[in-house]
Amino acid sequence: MNPAPYLEIHQSRKHEPTPYEIKLAHTLEEIFTQVGHELTDVVAGLNDRQVHTPDGAPWTEQSFRDEMHRLGA
């Protein structure tokens, strides 16, 4: 009998999360819990909390999509 497949939480991670990635993840969790899941909610929530893009600019829907793609999400 084969063991049940499992998911290792960090199986696709190539490095330890940076402080930016940790802050972004915690802020996204807060937004999903308190504000909503729609892209417009997420972008507004990040900007309202002054958690900006890696280059310091406010988030747009496109910059959020691009960053999630870059991070492998």
Side-chain angles (χ1 to χ4, degrees):
M1 181 172 175
N2 290 334
Y6 68 94
L7 172 66
E8 187 172 323
I9 295 172
H10 304 295
Q11 66 189 19
S12 65
R13 186 166 78 183
K14 296 179 175 123
H15 60 81
E16 289 297 313
T18 65
Y20 158 76
E21 292 168 347
I22 292 169
K23 182 177 182 177
L24 180 61
H26 286 278
T27 306
L28 287 172
E29 185 176 343
E30 179 182 301
I31 291 166
F32 291 150
T33 302
Q34 298 176 4
V35 180
H37 296 98
E38 297 297 322
L39 183 56
T40 54
D41 296 331
V42 172
V43 169
L46 288 168
N47 289 328
D48 290 347
R49 288 162 178 78
Q50 298 184 9
V51 176
H52 298 298
T53 64
D55 65 1
W59 291 98
T60 65
E61 290 184 14
Q62 189 59 51
S63 66
F64 183 79
R65 284 188 195 99
D66 292 344
E67 184 65 359
M68 291 300 102
H69 179 73
R70 184 187 75 79
L71 293 171

